[in-house]
Amino acid sequence: MTDRTLTVTSRTHPSGTTVLTVTGELDHHTAPRLSRVLDETPFGPGAPAVIDLSELVYCDSTGITVLITAYHRAQARDSRLFLTGVGPDLMRVFRVVGLDQIFTFQPTVEHAANAARP
Amino acid sequence: MCWGGSGNRRETAVPVTENAPPPGHAAVLSRRAAAAGLGAPLPHPGHSARWRVRHHRLPGSPHLRHTDGHRGDRRHRPGVVQSHARTGRSHPDRRDPGLCASAILHGTPYVVPDALTDSRTAANPLVRGEPGIRFYAAAPITTAHGERLGTVNVLDTRPRRPTDDQIAVLEDLAALVMDELELRLSAIRTIAAERAQRTAAIYDPDPCAALTNLDTVLKGEHQSGASRYCTAVFGVLEPAPDGSFTVSLAGGGHPPALAPRADGTVESVSTTGGQLIGILPDSRFVQATTRLLPGETLPLYTDGLTEARAPDCAMLGENGLARRLVTAAPQGVGELLRAVGELLTDPGTGVSDDTALLALSVPPRRTTSPAQENR
């Protein structure tokens, strides 16, 4: 079959934070999978979310669009959203396009879960 | 990319790149625009698709062709691959009653090994009558947002059972069709964005204001859950009596301009901090100013250049590009374009994404022409 692989898993951290783990290549073909999971993610004032990108090996402009959509949704519902495990190359792209100013980053899911505690 | 402006007092430069797709829309753009190459270099999905297509044979397909929508060119022939796409409201293909329409409902490949015995197709007039289709397989042409526009399908007049690899080839062909659609639509959008930019600049040549206007225009076009953006650098040139030019650049999500100087150094004219245009609630744009002396050149580029990865996996980056420029020590715009052009053509540098380059130069001596464009 094709080489386009992306898995997105959703779990609830003991702290109550929703953790989406994104593994593989986030691109034009696979981004809808993350979009679908985000659609089902219960963003809200008491429902923080983490998108863990530590296993992401590739991200293109469509992938970035989906991450921005997640940011918009979290903002609209007064929910806290964290990105974790962002590698140096993706962080470099975030800096070039100014997204480092809007996303909240944490090194790991545990750090994010702690930061999300009320 | 080109120049515009009013007379020779002010001129504006507008390289615009990278639109992202609107949701629920058929159109999207080159997936590698704004690509973040992470870890090891990965092949362009389109490239890998082409590779596979070249190395596989489809079941019983001596002919491989695209149909162009003309009725006369849509004759079903044994062993033919064709693509069906619909535009706007779906209208059933009169020559393909039900076959493509059924396939398009599936988000995954749709395979009918023997149409005569398959309940999904046994009653189809193309199966029961002429041309007597027995085998049918289709892969959906799907946008990034999951909308299925049509299918690429293969059919034959005898039953067939395709392998997984062959179905994968069909999927790759469908991805290629989508790629082509995206490229064309992205070109149209880029031109539209550039025109909006130029129009706005007539009323307010402040570079950051120009990007703010573009931001507003893009957001206005896609108010329903908009997710379309671009990056741009916008510049205003002001001539000085000594023949030099003051260059005021505003950047929105764009990599820094690099200015090779007469003394052999390379100055970064950075608008870092400027954000993507058209997608963020309160986009911030950053201005930088520099001076171009007679004989100096300012190259502007898109990130396809700096995100190139050499075989050792090192990304070129702005520093790598600056080092190249220092080493090349280009004298004049011609040498500069050659030096950067080598990066684009040398397979060892790993440039694989779309890349645009615009170099502005001030003539060495004052001439009748205040500035010239080279591309």
Side-chain angles (χ1 to χ4, degrees):
Chain A
M1 297 303 285
T2 62
D3 300 322
R4 297 169 205 122
T5 54
L6 180 87
T7 57
V8 183
T9 58
S10 176
R11 66 186 168 93
T12 305
H13 187 270
S15 66
T17 299
T18 302
V19 179
L20 308 184
T21 305
V22 182
T23 304
E25 301 166 32
L26 183 57
D27 66 11
H28 164 73
H29 292 278
T30 61
R33 289 177 217 169
L34 178 56
S35 292
R36 281 194 290 273
V37 177
L38 282 168
D39 285 343
E40 294 159 8
T41 300
F43 289 106
V50 173
I51 302 178
D52 182 33
L53 302 174
S54 53
E55 298 298 319
L56 186 70
V57 296
Y58 175 79
C59 180
D60 77 350
S61 60
T62 316
I64 287 174
T65 304
V66 175
L67 295 175
I68 295 173
T69 306
Y71 165 80
H72 282 307
R73 190 162 307 155
Q75 288 288 106
R77 300 191 192 168
D78 202 18
S79 176
R80 301 188 69 188
L81 173 70
F82 299 88
L83 300 189
T84 60
V86 177
D89 287 342
L90 183 57
M91 191 56 96
R92 179 192 156 280
V93 172
F94 282 163
R95 269 196 293 273
V96 170
V97 300
L99 289 178
D100 57 326
Q101 301 162 53
I102 68 158
F103 288 131
T104 305
F105 302 99
Q106 287 289 341
T108 66
V109 170
E110 289 308 316
H111 284 91
N114 283 331
R117 286 182 206 280
Chain B
M1 287 185 281
C2 50
W3 287 93
S6 50
N8 62 4
R9 264 183 44 74
R10 287 202 179 91
E11 305 204 9
T12 54
V14 192
V16 179
T17 65
E18 301 163 13
N19 291 315
H25 207 272
V28 270
L29 82 75
S30 172
R31 70 169 66 90
R32 284 293 298 263
L38 308 177
L42 293 161
H44 187 299
H47 292 168
S48 65
R50 286 181 190 98
W51 186 89
R52 266 194 298 271
V53 169
R54 278 202 297 273
H55 288 77
H56 287 264
R57 281 178 62 81
L58 288 160
S61 62
H63 308 104
L64 188 65
R65 66 174 188 174
H66 286 287
T67 53
D68 63 4
H70 291 299
R71 196 178 165 89
D73 196 28
R74 278 222 173 166
R75 234 168 292 133
H76 287 144
R77 293 185 296 176
V80 163
V81 175
Q82 55 182 12
S83 69
H84 288 174
R86 58 179 185 182
T87 52
R89 204 170 285 221
S90 171
H91 54 88
D93 184 337
R94 282 166 297 211
R95 292 187 164 247
D96 181 7
L99 281 176
C100 186
S102 302
I104 208 171
L105 299 174
H106 292 251
T108 52
Y110 174 85
V111 181
V112 181
D114 187 347
L116 260 186
T117 61
D118 194 307
S119 61
R120 295 171 295 179
T121 51
N124 190 290
L126 295 174
V127 175
R128 301 209 70 81
E130 284 296 316
I133 293 169
R134 295 290 299 275
F135 162 75
Y136 180 83
I141 300 167
T142 310
T143 69
H145 295 275
E147 193 180 37
R148 291 187 287 279
L149 304 179
T151 67
V152 170
N153 51 66
V154 57
L155 39 94
D156 205 346
T157 50
R158 59 191 174 99
R160 289 185 175 277
R161 196 165 287 280
T163 64
D164 285 350
D165 272 358
Q166 289 168 330
I167 294 301
V169 172
L170 205 55
E171 288 185 283
D172 290 337
L173 282 170
L176 285 178
V177 172
M178 195 62 239
D179 280 353
E180 292 301 319
L181 292 173
E182 287 166 8
L183 276 176
R184 289 171 197 202
L185 286 158
S186 111
I188 291 168
R189 288 205 184 118
T190 303
I191 290 166
E194 186 180 333
R195 284 191 182 146
Q197 182 87 311
R198 288 175 177 285
T199 306
I202 291 170
Y203 299 100
D204 189 350
D206 173 67
C208 281
L211 294 188
T212 303
N213 282 329
L214 181 60
D215 186 56
T216 307
V217 168
L218 289 183
K219 283 173 181 164
E221 282 181 3
H222 293 272
Q223 288 176 342
S224 52
S227 59
R228 183 182 156 199
Y229 62 82
C230 70
T231 76
V233 61
F234 183 92
V236 177
L237 299 183
E238 301 238 33
D242 63 357
S244 69
F245 280 78
T246 301
V247 183
S248 303
L249 297 179
H254 213 77
L258 296 173
R261 296 305 185 189
D263 64 1
T265 61
V266 172
E267 181 193 343
S268 172
V269 187
S270 175
T271 53
T272 299
Q275 295 178 312
L276 293 175
I277 303 165
I279 196 170
L280 300 177
D282 298 299
S283 292
R284 171 174 170 256
F285 306 114
V286 170
Q287 186 170 333
T289 302
T290 189
R291 193 170 188 79
L292 272 192
L293 300 177
E296 287 187 324
T297 301
L298 180 67
L300 303 170
Y301 58 91
T302 56
D303 59 5
L305 185 62
T306 42
E307 284 177 3
R309 278 183 183 279
D312 63 0
C313 286
M315 190 186 281
L316 182 67
E318 284 85 41
N319 290 339
L321 180 59
R323 277 195 299 275
R324 281 250 177 181
L325 291 173
V326 168
T327 306
Q331 300 296 311
V333 66
E335 285 188 24
L336 183 139
L337 288 176
R338 260 193 302 283
V340 181
E342 281 170 13
L343 282 172
L344 302 179
T345 52
D346 178 357
T349 57
V351 174
S352 58
D353 196 6
D354 306 336
T355 300
L357 176 67
L358 173 71
L360 323 176
S361 68
V362 181
R365 283 175 237 94
R366 292 200 68 174
T367 66
T368 50
S369 170
Q372 66 186 51
E373 174 195 359
N374 292 278
R375 51 188 295 183

